[in-house]
Amino acid sequence: MSLSYLLSVFVRELPGCILFGGIFMPVTLLLLLLIVYFRIKLLEVNEELAMAQDPRKGLLNYHGQCSQVNSAGHQQLQAAHFHS
């Protein structure tokens, strides 16, 4: 008995719904999920690269982060002054 004979008998006896539903569909869905996942990651990296290459956006982001830190620090100072 050769391997090709066993494989041909297996495929002949295997119902089509099992072949489609048990093998083809899960593999296809997994590949589609991987494509979507890597597309989302690629879009995130493209946004980061665009921000890193445009100095105006970098300065705006730096200013936004500084103002957030300053307002948080200001709120902490007010809270400390209120409690004392």
Side-chain angles (χ1 to χ4, degrees):
M1 278 202 209
S2 68
L3 183 61
S4 61
Y5 173 74
L6 288 176
L7 188 61
S8 68
V9 170
F10 177 73
V11 171
R12 243 184 294 137
E13 296 297 325
L14 187 69
C17 62
I18 292 177
L19 182 66
F20 182 76
I23 297 172
F24 178 73
M25 283 299 289
V27 171
T28 304
L29 291 175
L30 178 66
L31 290 175
L32 288 174
L33 284 173
L34 284 172
I35 289 170
V36 169
Y37 173 77
F38 285 123
R39 183 173 186 265
I40 291 170
K41 288 297 180 185
L42 182 63
L43 290 174
E44 290 176 1
V45 169
N46 282 341
E47 288 175 4
E48 290 176 8
L49 285 175
M51 292 180 98
Q53 290 175 354
D54 191 0
R56 291 174 293 167
K57 286 185 180 176
L59 288 175
L60 290 174
N61 287 337
Y62 177 75
H63 177 69
Q65 289 173 355
C66 287
S67 65
Q68 287 175 353
V69 169
N70 287 339
S71 65
H74 184 67
Q75 289 173 354
Q76 288 175 352
L77 285 175
Q78 285 180 343
H81 180 65
F82 179 73
H83 290 294
S84 55

